[in-house]
Amino acid sequence: MNSEYFVNLLIVFISAAFVSNVVLSQFLGICSFVGISNKIKTATGMGVAVIFVITLASLIASAIYKAILYPLGLDYLKTIVFIMVIACLVQFVEMVIKKFSPTLYNALGVYLPLITTNCAVLGVALINVQADYDVITSIVNGFGTAVGYTVAIILMAGIRERMEYNEITKSFKGSPIVLITATLMAMAFYGFAGLV
């Protein structure tokens, strides 16, 4: 592997994490982003779970696609296979969190199993295939995307914790102020577009 390859991997990581942030520019994973971002602790736990699931799903989905689906002409099954891989990974993560951190498990509630249907996880696996990334680049793209998701959800949680003490007009309380805040964050993240 030469230095150009590592530079390319760095560009893929920065692009996935900041420039093409999965939540703020592609609008994938919004349900958990809005639902879990009440507290920094739960947002961090969700972010770590998403990092694990997306990175591992990127590895496994890319390997299955390159080794089995594409060579056998079964690439039309990729969406179904990727969903099954993601569901298995989420079940594993759910068991681990329930065993080692019951309080985090209870705090995440219904949103932990929803990682299975989180369009960000499936979206990254499909983007890796569409971009024809090799397995290592797929892992880096998945990890970068998950880091971007985690950064966005933790920032949103910090802002929402601070907003609890502010007087907000009744019509903006709840989801409206969260979506306005997400819009402002998306505009701020758009400033990263000049990096790559």
Side-chain angles (χ1 to χ4, degrees), residues 149-194:
Y149 175 89
T150 304
V151 167
I153 198 170
I154 291 173
L155 286 173
M156 177 59 87
I159 293 169
R160 286 182 74 177
E161 281 186 2
R162 297 289 301 259
M163 284 192 310
E164 283 183 22
Y165 304 108
N166 296 338
E167 288 185 27
I168 298 171
T169 307
K170 186 176 180 181
S171 60
F172 284 107
K173 284 191 178 184
S175 295
I177 194 68
V178 173
L179 294 175
I180 290 169
T181 305
T183 302
L184 295 172
M185 287 175 62
M187 290 188 320
F189 268 69
Y190 184 70
F192 289 115

Side-chain angles (χ1 to χ4, degrees), residues 65-78:
Y65 183 79
K66 298 273 185 199
I68 300 170
L69 297 178
Y70 185 73
L72 296 177
L74 300 172
D75 53 336
Y76 60 91
L77 293 175
K78 66 182 173 264

Side-chain angles (χ1 to χ4, degrees), residues 42-55:
T42 54
T44 304
M46 182 66 154
V48 170
V50 167
I51 286 173
F52 180 77
V53 170
I54 288 181
T55 304

Side-chain angles (χ1 to χ4, degrees), residues 104-173:
L104 178 60
Y105 177 79
N106 291 330
L108 292 175
V110 70
Y111 291 100
L112 186 58
L114 282 179
I115 295 175
T116 303
T117 58
N118 188 337
C119 51
V121 183
L122 179 60
V124 171
L126 292 173
I127 287 168
N128 289 339
V129 168
Q130 289 172 350
D132 198 29
Y133 288 151
D134 61 11
V135 175
I136 294 174
T137 307
S138 294
I139 295 168
V140 170
N141 185 50
F143 181 70
T145 300
V147 167
Y149 175 89
T150 304
V151 167
I153 198 170
I154 291 173
L155 286 173
M156 177 59 87
I159 293 169
R160 286 182 74 177
E161 281 186 2
R162 297 289 301 259
M163 284 192 310
E164 283 183 22
Y165 304 108
N166 296 338
E167 288 185 27
I168 298 171
T169 307
K170 186 176 180 181
S171 60
F172 284 107
K173 284 191 178 184

